[in-house]
Amino acid sequence: MNLLRLITDGIWKKNPILVIGIGMCPTLAVSTSISNALWMTLAATFVLIMSNILVSMIKGIVPSHIRIPIFITIIATFVIVVELTLKAFQPDVDKALGIFIPLIVVNCIILGRAEDFASKNSVLYSAIDGIGMGLGFGLTLTVLAFFREILGANKLLGYTLIPGMEPSLVMIMAPGAFFTLAFMLWGMNAIKSRGKR
Amino acid sequence: MQTILKPTLIIALIAFAASMALSHINKVTLQRIKERELQKKEEALKIVLPGYTIVEKDKVLQVEGKDFRYSRAEKQVDKDVVSAYAFETEKAGYSGLIKSVIGVDENMKILGMAIIQQSETPGLGARSVEIASKETFFGHFFGSSAAGTGEVLAPWFQEQFKGLDLSRKIGIMKKGEWRSENEALKKELLESNSVSAITGATITTKAVRDSLEIKTEILKKLIQMETEKRKEDKKKK
């Protein structure tokens, strides 16, 4: 297995959101601004890499019929680490993301990768897979947030773009996220099918 | 036996390791989190009672078996000493409690309010604590003349409660984001005793408004009681 391949797979061929279709809830919820998206990516990727490493380390001793509660315990532990750290050192971020930090526990990407990849592969590969998947998640989130922040809030990176213009509200709400996601899927599939022809 | 004992031991071991790690993290961060919260409350008190000095902190008034906590502050106006009161209130918003601190003067005019805890939707209800920036994107990165002065403004949503009369009903208008330089809208809102709702987050706006109004009755009693007490004190002197 090629290490670089693992990373590019996470971004393109096996992009967790656009291809596998998991982790939608935080994707739709926190992609309202780029800064939210980036902090969410950082938090989720940290949990993903750490849980992948740990799951891979203990894969030999975990009986398969109790693996899910064990994975969840590990994931939840890292999520609380992230939550407390943010509360102590980045209270504004904690305020902005609110409930979606604790909800990383049930982010399907993390449990999915633990189950699908880390419990079957070596520690190094699992860590790299975490990085790749995290990058894929983060890039998708950032692109989504880029469009939603511009169209929905008339802002970019928190700064007003065109003073006085009323932004389109629907883009900041859930439907806007679905629309943008649909366009991204369309674009991605268009590029992919062009290569096949 | 083997099929029960081994999994149990493994789960126990992992749970033990997790608790160890968490208790350690908690120990490291707890102090800081507490400090932040205390600091936030202190700052909130300063925001909601501008120009006043706090005289009595955390007083308790018992009304109908319920405790009502408040702080009293004073300010010298001409030769008189006027009082102001700050209290905490909360109400469920769109997702979770919204807690805020409010300062009122003796005539129940709101001197200021600050939301200290909320878990509303990012980008919608969470904008209740968002600080409006005068700077524009192009201004910031390309240094055009339209760039703002970079001054820190209070969150516009909280700012607009200033000057409203709590003894009357507070209305909600849908006028969009409110800016301090928009004098006409400011006047209109003040005259009709209203706030402008956060676009797309009417529930949050309503919850904040209602969280103030549920305290109106008790506040009236409190102010009456305190004012009489001040008068008696004066007579004695």
Side-chain angles (χ1 to χ4, degrees):
Chain A
M1 218 182 298
N2 189 330
L3 287 182
L4 192 73
R5 191 63 194 272
L6 267 178
I7 292 187
T8 52
D9 268 5
I11 297 171
W12 187 253
K13 220 174 128 195
K14 286 186 192 159
N15 184 301
I17 296 164
L18 297 175
V19 180
I20 309 179
I22 51 178
M24 288 293 177
C25 172
T27 307
L28 299 177
V30 301
S31 60
T32 49
S33 74
I34 290 180
S35 85
N36 281 356
L38 289 179
W39 278 108
M40 184 68 196
T41 305
L42 211 63
T45 307
F46 169 77
V47 176
L48 180 60
I49 294 171
M50 297 309 283
S51 78
N52 260 6
I53 290 174
L54 242 90
V55 165
S56 172
M57 270 162 72
I58 60 161
K59 65 176 183 290
I61 60 159
V62 174
S64 73
H65 62 286
I66 54 159
R67 64 186 193 283
I68 301 291
I70 287 178
F71 293 168
I72 288 291
T73 311
I74 292 170
I75 295 167
T77 308
F78 285 116
V79 170
I80 297 175
V81 169
V82 168
E83 197 193 353
L84 289 178
T85 315
L86 280 182
K87 268 208 166 83
F89 300 102
Q90 287 290 339
D92 292 338
V93 175
D94 178 68
K95 237 181 180 177
L97 291 177
I99 188 72
F100 292 100
I101 291 292
L103 276 183
I104 296 175
V105 178
V106 290
N107 188 322
C108 291
I109 296 172
I110 296 163
L111 186 61
R113 290 326 279 173
E115 167 79 5
D116 222 34
F117 194 92
S119 61
K120 294 168 191 153
N121 288 288
S122 74
V123 175
L124 178 67
Y125 281 155
S126 302
I128 301 293
D129 178 70
I131 296 173
M133 283 288 158
L135 279 175
F137 176 66
L139 274 174
T140 317
L141 221 61
T142 312
V143 174
L144 256 174
F146 176 78
F147 289 113
R148 286 184 76 194
E149 194 176 350
I150 290 179
L151 298 172
N154 186 17
K155 278 178 183 172
L156 193 55
L157 297 167
Y159 298 106
T160 310
L161 274 179
I162 307 163
M165 199 191 78
E166 197 63 40
S168 93
L169 181 61
V170 71
M171 289 307 289
I172 213 86
M173 310 234 275
F178 281 113
F179 293 151
T180 319
L181 193 63
F183 274 107
M184 280 178 75
L185 276 168
W186 180 25
M188 191 175 182
N189 287 334
I191 295 170
K192 273 187 174 167
S193 64
R194 179 173 292 170
K196 275 179 201 155
R197 242 178 263 157
Chain B
M1 200 60 193
Q2 182 73 10
T3 54
I4 297 173
L5 207 60
K6 200 185 159 206
T8 314
L9 277 177
I10 289 170
I11 285 203
L13 198 75
I14 285 171
F16 179 74
S19 333
M20 287 287 285
L22 285 185
S23 68
H24 186 72
I25 287 283
N26 192 36
K27 208 176 152 193
V28 175
T29 53
L30 186 71
Q31 189 65 27
R32 243 192 125 89
I33 293 174
K34 269 195 177 159
E35 271 170 25
R36 294 252 185 199
E37 269 165 15
L38 207 73
Q39 195 189 347
K40 217 158 72 178
K41 267 191 189 172
E42 294 280 314
E43 274 170 18
L45 271 183
K46 263 184 214 152
I47 291 173
V48 302
L49 297 171
Y52 287 80
T53 19
I54 291 152
V55 213
E56 292 163 297
K57 233 180 185 177
D58 276 333
K59 284 183 81 180
V60 180
L61 173 73
Q62 278 207 326
V63 176
E64 287 154 18
K66 274 185 196 160
D67 281 359
F68 180 71
R69 253 168 223 288
Y70 67 98
S71 303
R72 196 174 69 83
E74 280 179 348
K75 187 169 87 168
Q76 192 88 24
V77 176
D78 298 329
K79 276 178 186 169
D80 265 342
V81 175
V82 284
S83 296
Y85 308 92
F87 58 95
E88 264 178 50
T89 184
E90 60 184 41
K91 193 166 194 300
Y94 189 67
S95 51
L97 281 179
I98 306 176
K99 254 191 205 173
S100 43
V101 181
I102 298 109
V104 292
D105 68 5
E106 284 166 332
N107 305 317
M108 300 213 19
K109 213 177 95 181
I110 298 174
L111 295 166
M113 76 90 82
I115 295 172
I116 52 173
Q117 187 197 316
Q118 56 86 23
S119 47
E120 303 295 288
T121 321
L124 290 172
R127 287 180 56 212
S128 55
V129 290
E130 187 181 86
I131 292 164
S133 171
K134 272 186 188 169
E135 255 178 324
T136 64
F137 180 74
F138 294 109
H140 184 78
F141 288 98
F142 305 107
S144 84
S145 56
T149 45
E151 63 176 311
V152 182
L153 301 162
W156 68 272
F157 178 73
Q158 298 172 28
E159 188 81 344
Q160 61 180 344
F161 280 91
K162 218 182 230 178
L164 296 187
D165 186 358
L166 198 52
S167 60
R168 288 194 290 148
K169 223 172 162 41
I170 295 174
I172 291 177
M173 285 186 172
K174 295 195 174 171
K175 297 276 181 189
E177 199 167 309
W178 178 90
R179 284 186 190 80
S180 50
E181 63 262 39
N182 191 342
E183 292 291 336
L185 180 56
K186 191 177 171 184
K187 216 177 148 198
E188 190 187 335
L189 285 170
L190 274 179
E191 270 171 10
S192 58
N193 208 41
S194 303
V195 290
S196 177
I198 303 167
T199 321
T202 319
I203 294 175
T204 309
T205 313
K206 260 190 169 159
V208 173
R209 193 265 315 260
D210 291 348
S211 77
L212 303 194
E213 286 191 342
I214 49 174
K215 300 282 186 192
T216 316
E217 287 309 311
I218 201 164
L219 200 64
K220 272 181 192 161
K221 274 181 205 158
L222 165 81
I223 291 176
Q224 204 181 4
M225 192 193 79
E226 285 277 359
T227 318
E228 270 165 25
K229 211 160 114 192
R230 295 282 103 65
K231 270 183 194 160
E232 272 173 32
D233 285 354
K234 242 184 195 172
K235 271 182 200 164
K236 275 180 201 162
K237 275 174 196 168

